[in-house]
C-alpha cells in the first residue's frame, strides 16, 4: 500500500521529539557534489522522487576542478532510477512540475555554462524540450520557477540567468513566451531565483527577482514580461542579492503579498506589492546562498520570518521587522531555512544547517529539538520535507556537497505542510501557505485525518485549562471522528458540517484560555479541501459551465475571503451550504475530464469516463456519479453491473479501476486511525481480488474489491 497506518506514526508522540535524533533511513552517494534537489511524483504512483543536480568535477576546500554534471533521479526508497548528462556543467536546484498536464511531474534543470541551456525531461529521463542558449542559467541555490504565467491553465517555466535575462517558456512546448533583459536596461547581473505570485490580488501574476551587480529589485508582469517597477537597493541600502531570492507573504493581513528579501550585506527588508518601503533591518553577518522563509510559527495568525546568515546564525524576525531572537549554529552555513510541522501541533518548526550539522529548531525559541552531524560536512543546499514514501509520515531530505551524499530522515508524525522545492514549491513562494502549494493534505481524507490527529495532540497538552480540555473532549474530537466517518460513507457535505462544528468547539476552547486560532484556520482549510475535491469531481460530470459549478466556485471564493477575515466557522458554513446544493445536482451530463484529477476518486472517475467514451452504458454513468461523491461501495456495485455486459478486455480495464478505488479506500481507512470492521479481511480481499484479476476473472475481482471496502469501513 502507498500509505500505511497513521496510528503507527502517532505512537511516536509518546516520546519527546528532543529525545529523538535525526537518523537517516536511507542514503545514496551520487557521482559528484550535490548542488540542488527537488521532490515530485514523476510516475503517478503517489510516492515522491528526488531529482538531484550533480555538479560535476571535483570540489573541496582550496581545490576546484569543473567537470561535466548530471541530473539524477532517486526514488522514494533511495535507489538511483536513472542519471543523464548534457555534456556541460550543471548547478542549482531542479524544479519538478507537471508542465504538460498529464498528471505527472517533469524535471527542469539548467547548465552552468556561458551559453547554457535549461532542459525539461520526462519521468524516464527523456528530453522533452530545451531552451535556447542563455548566459549561465544554472547557478548555485538558484533554479527555474514553474507557474501559469499566461493564464492558459498550463504551467510554464521562468528562467533567471546570470547574464541578466529573465525568460518565460510555454510548459508543454518549450516555446519562448517573452524575455526581459536587466543587463540591457540597468547593467544588472542576476544571481538569485525568481518568485511568481499574484501580489496585488488582480488575478494576474507578477514575477519578482533581485540583481547582483546593481542591486535592483524587479517586478515583471508574468504574462508579458513588462517591467512593472524597480527598486535600486544598492542606492537605498548599499547592498545587492547574492544567491538569494524573495519570500512573498502577507505581512499585514490585507490580503496582498509583501516582498521580503535578504541582501548580501546583512539586510532583511520588506516592500509592498508595488515596491514601496515597509521596513529594513540590519543584522550582523552576510546573507548568501540563503533565501528567507515565512510562516506563522507561534499560532497568532501573523507570519514570522526566518533568515540564516552565511556565518551560521539563525534570525527570527516578526512581520513588523523587529528581531525576536537569534541563535548561532556553531559553524558557517551554506543552506537556507525550510519549514515543517515535526511535532503535530499544527505549527511549523525550522530546518537549518551549519556546514556539518542539520538542526531541527523550535519555531518560537530556536532551540534545537533534534540534529544530525555529517562526517564529510558541506551540508547544502536547503533541506526539504514531505511524505516522500507515502507512509503517512514526513521525511526530511538533505544533501552533502562535499560528500556527494543524499540522505533521508524520518520524522515520526504526519504534517499538513510540505517544503518540496527551492523556496518551498515550484513557484518559489518562500512561505508555508495552507492555501497554496505547500499544503500537504493533498486530498480530503488525508487532510481530515491529519487535522484530527493534530486536534487530538492539542487536547493532550498538560497546560490546557480544564474547561478547554473538556470542550476538546465533548465538542471537537467527537465531531472530527464523526466527520471522517461521514466522509467514508460518501457524504462530503455532512463531513464539512462536522468540521464546522469542531471549529465552533475550538472557538469555545479559545474563550476558555486555549490557543486555538491556528487550529480554527486549519479546520477551515480542511473543510475547503473536502469541498474542492467534491467540486473537481462534480465538474468532471457536470461540465465547467454548469450553473451549479459556477455557483460552487463562487462559494469557494467567498469562503477564502471569510478565512482572510478570520471568520473560520463562517467559511466552513459557506462551503457546507454549497456542498449540499452540489450533491443534489450531481448527475452525469457528459465527459468533462480534460486533465487527470489529483486524488484517487477523481482519478478513477476520469478513468471510467475514458472507458465510457468507448463502450457507453448507464451503469458506468452511475459509477461516475457515485465516484463524484466518493461513494466507493456504491461505485463498485455499479462497476460490477457494468462489467457483466463488457467484453473481456474492457471488463479487465474496469476491474483495474475498481481495484484502485478499493485500494484507496482501504489505505484512507487505515490512515484515518479509526477502528475498522475487519482490516485483515479487507487486506485479504484486496489480495484475492488482484489474484482473480490476474487469472482472468474481472467480475470476481470486482466482487472481492467490494468485500475489501465493506470490511475496511470504520466502526
Amino acid at each position: 500500500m502507498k500509505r500505511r497506518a497513521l496510528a503507527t506514526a502517532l505512537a511516536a508522540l509518546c516520546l519527546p521529539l528532543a529525545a529523538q535524533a535525526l537518523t537517516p533511513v536511507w542514503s545514496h552517494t551520487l557521482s559528484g557534489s550535490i548542488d540542488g534537489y527537488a521532490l515530485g511524483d514523476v510516475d503517478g504512483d503517489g510516492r515522491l522522487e528526488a531529482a538531484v543536480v550533480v555538479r560535476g568535477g571535483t570540489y573541496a576546500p582550496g581545490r576546484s576542478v569543473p567537470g561535466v554534471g548530471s541530473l539524477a533521479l532517486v526514488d522514494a526508497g533511495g535507489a538511483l532510477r536513472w542519471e543523464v548528462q548534457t555534456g556541460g556543467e550543471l548547478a542549482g536546484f531542479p524544479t519538478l512540475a507537471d508542465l504538460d498536464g498529464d498528471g505527472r511531474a517533469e524535471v527542469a534543470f539548467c547548465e552552468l555554462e556561458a551559453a547554457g541551456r535549461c532542459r525539461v525531461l520526462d519521468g524516464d529521463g527523456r528530453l522533452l524540450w530545451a531552451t535556447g542558449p542563455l548566459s549561465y542559467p544554472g547557478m548555485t541555490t538558484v533554479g527555474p520557477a514553474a507557474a501559469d504565467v499566461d493564464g492558459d491553465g498550463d504551467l510554464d517555466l521562468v528562467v533567471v540567468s546570470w547574464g541578466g535575462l529573465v525568460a518565460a517558456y510555454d510548459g508543454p512546448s518549450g516555446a519562448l513566451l517573452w524575455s526581459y533583459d536587466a543587463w540591457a536596461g540597468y547593467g544588472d547581473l542576476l544571481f538569485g531565483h525568481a518568485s511568481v505570485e499574484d501580489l496585488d490580488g488582480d488575478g494576474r501574476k507578477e514575477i519578482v527577482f533581485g540583481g547582483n551587480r546593481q542591486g535592483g529589485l524587479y517586478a515583471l508582469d508574468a504574462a508579458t514580461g513588462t517591467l512593472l517597477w524597480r527598486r535600486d537597493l544598492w542606492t537605498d541600502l548599499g547592498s545587492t542579492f547574492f544567491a538569494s531570492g524573495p519570500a512573498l507573504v502577507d505581512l499585514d493581513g490585507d490580503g496582498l503579498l509583501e516582498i521580503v528579501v535578504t541582501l548580501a550585506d546583512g539586510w532583511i527588508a520588506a516592500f509592498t506589492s508595488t515596491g514601496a518601503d515597509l521596513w529594513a533591518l540590519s543584522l550582523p553577518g552576510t546573507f548568501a546562498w540563503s533565501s528567507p522563509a515565512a510562516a506563522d510559527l507561534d499560532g497568532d495568525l501573523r507570519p514570522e520570518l526566518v533568515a540564516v546568515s552565511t556565518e551560521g546564525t539563525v534570525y527570527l524576525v516578526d512581520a513588523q521587522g523587529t528581531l525576536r531572537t537569534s541563535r548561532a549554529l556553531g559553524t558557517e552555513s551554506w543552506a537556507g531555512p525550510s519549514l515543517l510541522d515535526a511535532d503535530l501541533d499544527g505549527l511549523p518548526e525550522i530546518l537549518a544547517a551549519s556546514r556539518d550539522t542539520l538542526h531541527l529548531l523550535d519555531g518560537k525559541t530556536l532551540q534545537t529539538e533534534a540534529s544530525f552531524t555529517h562526517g564529510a560536512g558541506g551540508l547544502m543546499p536547503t533541506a526539504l520535507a514531505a511524505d516522500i514514501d507515502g507512509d503517512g509520515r514526513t521525511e526530511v531530505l538533505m544533501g552533502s556537497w562535499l560528500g556527494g551524499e543524499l540522505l533521508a530522515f524520518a520524522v515520526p508524525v504526519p504534517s499538513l505542510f510540505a517544503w518540496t522545492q527551492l523556496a518551498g514549491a515550484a513557484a518559489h513562494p518562500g512561505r508555508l501557505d495552507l492555501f497554496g502549494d505547500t499544503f500537504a493534505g493533498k486530498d480530503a481524507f488525508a487532510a481530515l485525518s491529519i487535522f484530527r490527529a493534530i486536534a487530538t495532540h492539542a487536547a493532550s497538552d498538560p497546560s490546557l485549562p480544564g474547561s478547554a480540555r473538556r470542550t476538546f473532549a465533548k465538542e471537537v474530537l467527537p465531531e472530527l471522528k464523526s466527520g471522517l466517518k461521514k466522509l467514508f460513507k460518501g457524504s462530503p457535505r455532512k463531513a464539512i458540517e462536522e468540521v464546522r462544528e469542531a471549529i465552533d468547539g475550538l472557538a469555545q476552547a479559545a474563550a476558555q484560555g486555549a490557543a486555538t486560532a491556528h487550529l480554527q484556520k486549519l479546520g477551515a482549510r480542511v473543510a475547503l479541501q473536502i469541498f474542492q475535491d467534491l467540486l473537481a469531481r462534480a465538474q468532471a460530470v457536470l461540465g465547467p459551465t454548469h450553473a451549479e459549478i459556477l455557483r460552487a466556485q463562487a462559494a469557494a471564493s467567498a469562503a477564502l475571503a471569510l478565512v482572510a477575515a478570520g471568520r473560520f466557522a463562517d467559511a466552513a458554513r459557506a462551503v457546507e451550504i454549497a456542498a449540499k446544493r452540489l450533491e443534489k445536482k450531481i448527475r452525469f451530463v457528459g465527459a468533462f475530464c480534460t486533465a487527470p484529477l489529483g486524488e484517487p476518486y477523481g482519478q478513477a472517475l476520469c478513468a471510467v469516463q475514458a472507458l465510457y467514451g468507448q463502450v457507453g452504458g448507464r451503469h458506468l454513468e452511475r459509477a461516475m456519479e457515485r465516484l463524484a461523491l466518493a461513494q466507493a461501495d456504491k461505485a463498485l456495485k455499479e462497476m460490477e453491473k457494468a462489467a457483466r455486459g463488457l467484453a473481456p478486455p474492457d471488463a479487465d480495464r474496469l476491474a483495474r479501476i475498481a481495484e484502485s478505488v478499493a485500494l484507496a479506500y482501504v489505505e484512507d481507512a487505515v490512515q484515518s486511525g479509526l477502528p475498522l470492521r475487519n482490516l485483515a479481511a479487507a487486506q485479504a480481499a484486496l489480495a484475492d481480488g488482484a489474484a482473480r484479476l490476474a487469472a482472468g476473472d474481472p467480475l470476481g475481482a470486482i466482487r472481492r474489491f467490494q468485500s475489501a471496502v465493506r470490511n475496511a469501513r470504520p466502526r
Side-chain angles (χ1 to χ4, degrees):
M1 292 184 180
K2 297 175 186 174
R3 292 170 288 183
R4 293 185 288 277
L6 183 61
T8 302
L10 298 183
L13 290 175
C14 62
L15 298 175
L17 185 61
Q20 301 174 26
L22 286 174
T23 303
V25 293
W26 58 255
S27 67
H28 185 93
T29 301
L30 280 301
S31 58
S33 298
I34 294 174
D35 213 64
Y37 35 70
L39 291 166
D41 184 0
V42 304
D43 53 12
D45 69 348
R47 297 179 174 89
L48 303 183
E49 289 74 41
V52 186
V53 168
V54 180
R55 184 69 175 263
T58 302
Y59 294 90
R63 182 167 57 93
S64 298
V65 181
V68 175
S70 62
L71 191 286
L73 192 80
V74 177
D75 70 18
L80 180 67
R81 187 170 295 181
W82 48 257
E83 189 169 6
V84 298
Q85 291 185 324
T86 68
E89 187 171 8
L90 305 181
F93 279 85
T95 295
L96 274 73
D98 181 9
L99 297 175
D100 58 8
D102 67 350
R104 298 183 295 273
E106 284 72 49
V107 185
F109 63 102
C110 300
E111 295 174 328
L112 178 66
E113 299 286 345
R117 300 176 186 271
C118 297
R119 290 174 164 81
V120 173
L121 309 182
D122 69 11
D124 294 317
R126 293 185 294 258
L127 178 67
L128 296 177
W129 56 265
T131 68
L134 299 163
S135 176
Y136 298 102
M139 296 174 279
T140 294
T141 67
V142 180
D148 180 8
V149 301
D150 54 7
D152 67 352
D154 295 318
L155 295 181
D156 308 300
L157 204 66
V158 177
V159 176
V160 174
S161 60
W162 163 254
L165 200 70
V166 180
Y169 300 89
D170 178 67
S173 69
L176 177 66
L177 298 176
W178 53 257
S179 63
Y180 172 81
D181 195 339
W183 172 259
Y186 296 95
D188 220 347
L189 300 173
L190 307 178
F191 193 4
H193 69 76
S195 299
V196 189
E197 291 275 5
D198 178 6
L199 297 177
D200 51 13
D202 65 353
R204 295 169 60 92
K205 291 185 174 66
E206 288 76 37
I207 298 173
V208 184
F209 57 94
N212 171 255
R213 187 171 186 264
Q214 300 295 343
L217 176 63
Y218 300 82
L220 306 182
D221 183 297
T224 64
T226 303
L227 179 66
L228 298 175
W229 52 261
R230 177 184 183 272
R231 288 295 307 271
D232 185 347
L233 301 188
W234 177 253
T235 299
D236 295 343
L237 298 174
S239 194
T240 66
F241 292 82
F242 192 92
S244 67
L248 307 180
V249 57
D250 183 1
L251 294 176
D252 52 14
D254 65 353
L256 307 180
L257 295 178
E258 282 73 48
I259 301 159
V260 179
V261 301
T262 49
L263 302 175
D265 292 282
W267 288 98
I268 179 170
F271 305 87
T272 70
S273 60
T274 58
D277 291 332
L278 276 181
W279 49 259
L281 175 65
S282 180
L283 296 169
T286 59
F287 292 112
W289 322 111
S290 173
S291 300
D296 175 12
L297 300 174
D298 57 10
D300 65 353
L301 304 184
R302 294 187 294 270
E304 285 74 42
L305 306 162
V306 184
V308 181
S309 72
T310 312
E311 292 75 16
T313 298
V314 183
Y315 295 100
L316 185 61
V317 177
D318 70 18
Q320 290 75 44
T322 301
L323 178 65
R324 284 196 178 172
T325 189
S326 64
R327 61 88 42 98
L329 298 178
T331 60
E332 65 181 332
S333 175
W334 299 352
S338 52
L339 304 167
L340 79 162
D341 180 8
D343 56 8
L344 210 64
D345 65 353
L347 295 171
E349 282 70 49
I350 301 164
L351 288 165
S354 67
R355 179 168 162 166
D356 55 9
T357 301
L358 174 64
H359 296 263
L360 178 66
L361 306 177
D362 180 272
K364 295 182 283 291
T365 67
L366 299 186
Q367 295 303 303
T368 296
E369 296 186 345
S371 65
F372 169 79
T373 298
H374 193 279
L379 295 182
M380 179 181 173
T382 299
L384 305 180
D387 180 4
I388 296 175
D389 57 8
D391 67 349
R393 296 172 291 185
T394 302
E395 285 80 39
V396 171
L397 198 70
M398 188 74 213
S400 166
W401 201 73
L402 294 177
E405 188 178 16
L406 187 68
L407 303 105
F409 306 85
V411 177
V413 295
S415 175
L416 284 175
F417 305 121
W419 197 274
T420 59
Q421 316 219 27
L422 169 63
H428 302 161
R431 70 183 187 280
L432 274 187
D433 185 356
L434 279 175
F435 297 88
D437 289 339
T438 49
F439 179 64
K442 295 304 183 186
D443 64 57
F445 289 91
L448 184 49
S449 294
I450 297 173
F451 180 53
R452 176 172 174 259
I454 290 171
T456 302
H457 182 54
S460 67
D461 185 349
S463 68
L464 205 65
S467 57
R469 184 175 292 109
R470 289 189 291 273
T471 297
F472 266 90
K474 294 181 179 180
E475 307 294 338
V476 178
L477 300 183
E479 279 72 17
L480 295 179
K481 181 179 181 180
S482 178
L484 265 175
K485 289 184 175 181
K486 298 289 174 50
L487 201 56
F488 280 104
K489 288 182 179 179
S491 181
R493 190 270 300 175
K494 290 182 179 179
I496 296 171
E497 178 184 11
E498 298 288 358
V499 173
R500 190 256 304 160
E501 291 179 355
I503 296 171
D504 287 335
L506 289 167
Q508 181 180 339
Q512 296 163 337
T516 68
H518 72 290
L519 297 178
Q520 294 175 56
K521 187 174 183 179
L522 285 175
R525 178 63 180 95
V526 170
L528 192 62
Q529 184 65 48
I530 298 170
F531 182 68
Q532 287 172 328
D533 284 0
L534 171 65
L535 175 56
R537 296 190 300 264
Q539 182 171 317
V541 296
L542 294 176
T545 62
H546 192 282
E548 204 58 49
I549 294 297
L550 298 177
R551 189 176 289 113
Q553 291 170 340
S557 298
L560 286 172
L562 290 168
V563 168
R567 296 169 57 186
F568 304 123
D570 288 342
R573 187 183 298 277
V575 294
E576 176 191 344
I577 294 170
K580 184 176 182 179
R581 290 181 56 95
L582 191 56
E583 286 184 357
K584 292 179 179 179
K585 296 292 184 178
I586 290 179
R587 297 291 184 274
F588 180 77
V589 173
F592 296 101
C593 284
T594 57
L597 300 182
E599 46 84 32
Y601 294 98
Q603 293 170 355
L605 191 160
C606 290
V608 171
Q609 200 167 100
L611 177 60
Y612 173 83
Q614 298 174 5
V615 301
R618 178 56 185 151
H619 290 302
L620 290 183
E621 292 177 0
R622 290 173 178 163
M624 287 184 277
E625 293 166 358
R626 298 306 186 183
L627 286 169
L629 293 166
Q631 294 176 345
D633 53 348
K634 294 180 180 179
L636 290 174
K637 288 178 182 177
E638 296 296 340
M639 290 185 200
E640 179 194 353
K641 294 174 183 177
R644 295 172 186 167
L646 294 178
D650 295 324
D652 287 348
R653 183 175 168 186
L654 186 59
R656 285 193 292 272
I657 300 171
E659 182 181 27
S660 73
V661 172
L663 182 60
Y665 186 95
V666 174
E667 289 175 344
D668 284 328
V670 171
Q671 188 176 1
S672 74
L674 296 171
L676 309 181
R677 287 186 176 181
N678 192 331
L679 177 59
Q683 293 171 329
L686 281 175
D688 187 33
R692 288 173 183 261
L693 182 55
D697 180 13
L699 190 59
I702 294 174
R703 288 171 178 154
R704 295 302 290 148
F705 297 143
Q706 292 180 64
S707 176
V709 168
R710 286 193 298 269
N711 281 290
R713 188 170 295 140
R715 290 190 274 111

